[in-house]
Amino acid sequence: MDVTFVTSNPDKVVEVRRVFREYDIQVRWSRRALPEPQSDRLQDVVAAKLATAARPGRAVVVEDSGLFLDGLRGFPGVYSRYVYDTLGLEGILELLQGKPRRATFRTVAGFRRGRTTRIAVGTVQGTIAPRRKGHNGFGYDPIFVPRGSTRTFAEMEGPEKDRYSHRGRAIRALARKIGSSEKE
Ligand code: ITT
């Protein structure tokens, strides 16, 4: 099966392609920043992205991800992109000084083909490292240490990140849901 993944982020494409491949789902990339509504829920953002991305006769996939920091009462969450672009990793590390370092990464992934819609969520808990470490991955990877590891995502090879990650979990769950919708 072929799906079109609509995202502006090439690093997401690498990860989503790698995970879907295990389910024999091939990914075409449509490079586009979809408009995002003002909402504090990733689910709402994904519903809006799906509505814009939908094309007759085509299977489309979108996703939205966010980092939720316990020490900042869930911030930046849906604003993760804006905060990364403005404060950057050093700004986040500064804000967290003296605060609890627990964090959750969450991805909501959506699929639509015709009238069939499937949504899947993936989360990973972890902590924010005292300083950036590693050069792989993208975004917040150098400061996020998933529970069960002592290394940041940026210190892992891609497939290892996929095993733990919010996106790996969401895309595997979505692939299973797409598979079961095929049989309907
Ligand atoms: P879209 O076009 O798909 O929306 P985006 O990069 O704007 O691409 P998000 O809003 O989902 O995507 O991402 C929010 C921020 O979180 C952004 O700064 C990403 O770099 C970062 N991010 C998302 N997934 C990540 C991951 O797996 N590891 C590290 N940072 C991640």
Side-chain angles (χ1 to χ4, degrees):
M1 174 191 220
D2 274 7
V3 299
T4 299
F5 180 33
V6 188
T7 177
S8 63
N9 186 328
D11 298 297
K12 287 186 178 180
V13 180
V14 172
E15 295 186 5
V16 166
R17 197 168 261 156
R18 196 165 51 216
V19 176
F20 268 145
R21 195 181 300 132
E22 295 164 25
Y23 297 82
D24 274 337
I25 298 173
Q26 314 306 323
V27 173
R28 294 162 198 261
W29 179 21
S30 169
R31 184 172 201 154
R32 208 172 140 204
L34 294 165
E36 299 187 14
Q38 280 285 345
S39 164
D40 56 9
R41 297 178 66 234
L42 294 175
Q43 273 84 350
D44 295 342
V45 176
V46 166
K49 282 182 167 182
L50 272 183
T52 316
R55 291 284 174 276
R58 196 187 282 181
V60 294
V61 169
V62 302
E63 64 107 285
D64 207 60
S65 301
L67 177 64
F68 298 78
L69 301 170
D70 282 17
L72 302 178
R73 297 194 209 146
F75 186 79
V78 290
Y79 309 108
S80 296
R81 170 78 191 267
Y82 181 70
V83 168
Y84 181 82
D85 292 344
T86 51
L87 300 180
L89 299 182
E90 296 310 321
I92 289 279
L93 291 174
E94 228 167 87
L95 281 177
L96 272 184
Q97 269 178 21
K99 301 218 163 66
R101 304 191 78 84
R102 279 179 52 142
T104 305
F105 238 129
R106 177 171 294 118
T107 294
V108 178
F111 164 91
R112 179 164 296 163
R113 185 179 45 201
R115 281 203 288 253
T116 304
T117 301
R118 296 287 181 267
I119 302 288
V121 183
T123 59
V124 56
Q125 303 215 312
T127 53
I128 300 301
R131 62 188 169 284
R132 50 187 309 161
K133 281 192 294 175
H135 299 285
N136 298 332
F138 66 101
Y140 294 97
D141 283 345
I143 60 168
F144 187 85
V145 180
R147 190 187 277 171
S149 176
T150 52
R151 289 170 300 139
T152 66
F153 275 152
E155 294 178 290
M156 298 179 183
E157 296 300 325
E160 187 181 3
K161 175 184 172 188
D162 299 342
R163 279 204 292 282
Y164 285 99
S165 81
H166 46 307
R167 181 166 299 101
R169 289 179 173 155
I171 296 299
R172 285 193 291 273
L174 191 64
R176 289 191 288 268
K177 289 186 177 187
I178 295 173
S180 58
S181 73
E182 290 282 275
K183 293 176 197 113
E184 276 169 13

